[in-house]
């Protein structure tokens, strides 16, 4: 992936247009450089670390124009706060927050800057979307009205398929207005054909609903024979669920958010529903505001190819951690992914690991004796177990000095669990390099290379 052509994004023409101060057609963009830094398993999924306009330009310049079948994006909504990652100590016992401020992303915008930001990205996304592809744009009451106008402008009002309401009943009280408990997901098609898997979009019957269809006719079809007015008529079970409404009730997954430490992570069930409804196995799914990588994880589970991008190194770490598990702990291993650094994306801050390697006959044991994280200086001296600040340990036993290829990923999902801290592997190639990567709970990393004797 060498040459760096200049990409022209074509502004929409002939449609009603939303205007703001400083609105401008996206200028021609030089495709940025990109470096592959990690590869997990064998496969062609892509996790891109970088600013997403640069990443989308890179994709346009490298053969992905009109190749994406499904896009889901969950951009910042202009919540007026800077989202910070929750930094909790791992391990048993009550969760303990520790002093380490890492900004997950800034979500304070003025309207003009926000609209220009989204306009440029939506145009690039339209250029990547296949003729029969679809795009889901996730937003809330703060920006839904503006984004709907922008989507009409970029994709065409006639391409709007749904305004989906994601209702998440949980806690909270609106004391000065009604309780705000839904997000809006705008669904648009790129052209006049699109994928919609009706059966896959159905809401499965609950056990109670299914239990009504007790009787079986001579052709093996299930039915129940009392309708709501009490007349005797046969109502057959014709489809595997109830209507694919545009109001979806899916609870927020608080346990997942706590385990990942990523407050904006969406429930896997939401993304699985979208991917099942609007793509086929093997299709290519893109999310360029990937956050904790929920879209990629759902696509991986459902056998779709995926590309995910985020500018925040902490998001890339959390997404990678989930994906390492999905790839390496799957038997047989499921399709792998590579991580690319796009343009001048800043690497994660560097920590320091204290590692001991012991060689014994045909085995090598790597023991981590301590770790100091760059954002955890205040917390470190008070820790009883250094493992309480570690989210993941990765080992590449045959490091080639260029691309890190973890074969072992120790990434406990639950917050209450700790990494093992000692790893024994076969001593295959004397003189080979072994690389170890440690990722801490506040987004720091240590990378250590050792030689096997
Ligand atoms: C609301 S979160 C997405 C959460 C995600 N849907 C999930 O389930 O975890 C928005 C994400 O967009 C990322 N982001 C914001 N601006 C970006 C940009 N210009 N390029 C790439 N990522 C960006 C933030 O770092 C953040 O992780």
């Amino acid at each position: 992936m060498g040459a760096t052509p200049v990409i022209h994004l074509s502004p929409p023409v002939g449609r009603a247009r939303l205007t703001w101060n400083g609105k401008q057609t996206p200028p021609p963009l030089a495709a940025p450089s990109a470096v592959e830094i990690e590869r997990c398993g064998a496969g062609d999924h892509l996790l891109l670390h970088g600013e997403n306009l640069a990443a989308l330009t890179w994709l346009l310049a490298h053969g992905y124009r009109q190749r994406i079948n499904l896009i889901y994006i969950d951009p910042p909504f202009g919540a007026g706060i800077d989202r910070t990652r929750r930094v909790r100590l791992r391990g048993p016992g009550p969760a303990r927050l520790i002093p380490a401020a890492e900004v997950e992303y800034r979500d304070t915008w003025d309207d003009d800057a926000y609209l220009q930001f989204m306009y440029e990205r939506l145009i690039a996304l339209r250029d990547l979307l296949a003729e029969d592809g679809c795009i889901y744009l996730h937003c809330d009451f703060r920006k839904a009205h503006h984004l709907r106008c922008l989507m009409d402008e970029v994709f065409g009002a006639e391409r709007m398929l749904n305004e989906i309401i994601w209702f998440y009943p949980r806690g909270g009280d609106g004391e000065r207005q009604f309780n705000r408990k839904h997000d809006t997901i705008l669904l648009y098609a790129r052209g006049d054909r699109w994928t919609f898997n009706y059966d896959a979009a159905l809401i499965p019957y609950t056990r109670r609903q299914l239990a009504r269809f007790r009787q079986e006719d001579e052709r093996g079809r299930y039915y129940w024979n009392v309708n709501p007015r009490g007349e005797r008529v046969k109502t057959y079970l014709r489809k595997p669920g109830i209507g694919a409404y545009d109001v979806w009730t899916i609870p927020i997954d608080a346990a997942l958010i706590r385990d990942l430490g990523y407050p904006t992570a969406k429930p896997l069930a939401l993304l699985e529903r979208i991917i099942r409804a609007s793509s086929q196995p093997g299709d290519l799914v893109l999310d360029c505001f990937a956050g904790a990588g929920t879209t990629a994880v759902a696509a991986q589970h459902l056998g779709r190819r995926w590309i995910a991008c985020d500018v925040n190194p902490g998001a890339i770490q959390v997404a990678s951690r989930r994906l390492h598990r999905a790839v390496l702990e799957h038997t047989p291993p499921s399709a792998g992914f590579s991580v690319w650094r796009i343009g001048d994306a800043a690497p994660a801050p560097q920590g320091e690991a204290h590692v001991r390697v012991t060689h014994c006959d045909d085995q090598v044991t790597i023991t981590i004796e301590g770790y100091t994280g760059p954002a955890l200086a205040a917390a470190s001296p008070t820790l009883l177990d250094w493992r309480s600040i570690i989210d993941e340990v990765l080992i590449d036993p045959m490091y080639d000095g260029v691309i890190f290829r973890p074969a072992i990923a120790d990434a406990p999902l639950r917050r209450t669990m700790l990494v093992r801290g000692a790893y024994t592997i076969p001593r295959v190639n004397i003189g080979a390099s072994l690389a170890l990567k440690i990722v801490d709970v506040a987004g720091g990393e240590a990378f250590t290379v050792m030689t096997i004797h």
Side-chain angles (χ1 to χ4, degrees):
M1 304 211 183
T4 57
V6 171
I7 298 297
H8 296 263
L9 300 177
S10 36
V13 283
R15 295 184 183 138
R17 310 188 69 192
L18 183 69
T19 312
W20 55 89
N21 288 326
K23 179 171 184 175
Q24 44 172 306
T25 304
L29 300 164
S33 60
V35 190
E36 184 179 5
I37 50 175
E38 185 181 316
R39 196 175 297 165
C40 173
D44 59 359
H45 307 311
L46 296 176
L47 182 57
L48 307 178
H49 174 209
E51 210 291 319
N52 53 14
L53 188 57
L56 300 178
T57 309
W58 183 74
L59 290 171
L60 283 167
H62 289 93
Y64 288 93
R65 185 178 290 273
Q66 296 202 358
R67 297 280 298 282
I68 311 288
N69 306 99
L70 169 62
I71 296 172
Y72 164 86
I73 54 169
D74 175 17
F77 303 166
I81 48 171
D82 289 339
R83 303 257 179 204
T84 48
R85 195 164 148 188
R86 286 290 178 100
V87 181
R88 284 198 173 91
L89 287 186
R90 299 191 76 102
R96 187 151 73 91
L97 283 171
I98 50 171
E102 192 222 0
V103 175
E104 180 195 322
Y105 62 90
R106 304 210 174 273
D107 199 4
T108 312
W109 303 77
D110 71 51
D111 273 347
D112 296 328
Y114 184 78
L115 289 170
Q116 184 66 29
F117 171 88
M118 288 305 299
Y119 182 56
E120 291 170 0
R121 282 148 188 83
L122 290 176
I123 293 175
L125 288 168
R126 186 207 51 202
D127 289 355
L128 285 163
L129 198 55
E131 229 354 85
D132 58 355
C134 285
I135 174 167
Y136 288 74
L137 167 55
H138 190 137
C139 51
D140 75 1
F141 69 95
R142 298 177 186 91
K143 295 290 179 216
H145 56 309
H146 284 157
L147 289 173
R148 170 115 187 236
C149 293
L150 264 194
M151 292 292 275
D152 281 356
E153 182 174 334
V154 175
F155 291 91
E158 69 287 2
R159 298 294 181 221
M160 210 251 185
L161 300 181
N162 281 118
E163 180 185 46
I164 296 162
I165 300 301
W166 170 39
F167 170 50
Y168 41 90
R170 182 172 171 259
D173 241 340
E175 288 182 1
R176 302 184 61 207
Q177 73 289 311
F178 293 106
N179 209 355
R180 292 175 178 142
K181 285 294 160 199
H182 80 270
D183 286 359
T184 303
I185 303 176
L186 304 172
L187 167 58
Y188 281 68
R190 168 81 157 88
D192 53 13
R193 286 177 305 117
W194 58 89
T195 299
F196 184 66
N197 302 316
Y198 172 82
D199 278 354
L202 294 174
I203 300 162
Y205 286 115
T206 59
R207 255 197 236 179
R208 209 158 138 231
Q209 285 164 331
L210 270 181
R212 287 191 306 211
F213 296 91
R214 264 193 295 266
Q215 280 143 299
E216 196 178 349
D217 72 4
E218 62 291 349
R219 289 166 58 192
R221 297 175 308 175
Y222 287 95
Y223 66 93
W224 66 301
N225 71 353
V226 180
N227 78 0
R229 289 188 299 277
E231 299 152 355
R232 292 181 70 80
V233 283
K234 286 182 181 173
T235 304
Y236 280 96
L237 181 64
R238 290 181 202 284
K239 41 189 189 181
I242 16 178
Y245 306 129
D246 58 2
V247 177
W248 302 355
T249 306
I250 300 177
I252 287 178
D253 192 340
L256 180 80
I257 290 176
R258 201 174 45 242
D259 286 335
L260 297 175
Y262 216 83
T264 55
K266 301 297 177 291
L268 208 48
L270 180 77
L271 269 303
E272 287 185 346
R273 181 139 220 259
I274 289 173
I275 293 173
R276 277 205 181 94
S278 294
S279 67
Q280 310 292 5
D283 275 359
L284 185 52
V285 179
L286 168 72
D287 181 349
C288 65
F289 293 92
T294 314
T295 308
V297 173
Q300 181 88 21
H301 288 168
L302 296 173
R304 273 62 168 177
R305 294 173 299 136
W306 54 262
I307 300 174
C309 165
D310 204 288
V311 68
N312 169 13
I316 298 296
Q317 289 167 343
V318 176
S320 304
R321 192 162 93 232
R322 297 174 83 185
L323 291 159
H324 288 142
R325 293 171 56 91
V327 174
L328 297 175
E329 291 182 8
H330 199 273
T331 335
S334 69
F337 65 99
S338 50
V339 186
W340 290 71
R341 184 164 296 139
I342 304 292
D344 54 3
Q350 292 304 297
E352 207 187 325
H354 311 285
V355 183
R356 183 162 49 88
V357 183
T358 45
H359 303 84
C360 174
D361 300 331
D362 54 352
Q363 293 195 315
V364 181
T365 300
I366 303 120
T367 310
I368 305 168
E369 298 187 321
Y371 172 85
T372 320
L376 298 164
S380 294
T382 64
L383 298 176
L384 295 176
D385 186 338
W386 62 270
R387 295 180 302 162
S388 58
I389 54 167
I390 303 304
D391 268 343
E392 184 169 25
V393 175
L394 296 154
I395 296 175
D396 174 356
M398 298 281 287
Y399 182 51
D400 66 5
V402 185
I403 299 175
F404 180 63
R405 293 178 174 80
I408 296 172
D410 182 10
L413 177 63
R414 299 266 161 259
R415 270 279 128 183
T416 48
M417 294 160 68
L418 299 172
V419 294
R420 298 193 299 279
Y423 308 88
T424 299
I425 56 171
R427 185 187 190 186
V428 269
N429 283 2
I430 313 267
S433 292
L434 177 150
L436 173 96
K437 184 167 153 182
I438 298 181
V439 181
D440 76 38
V441 291
E445 288 182 6
F447 191 72
T448 313
V449 180
M450 294 152 270
T451 306
I452 308 231
H453 301 303

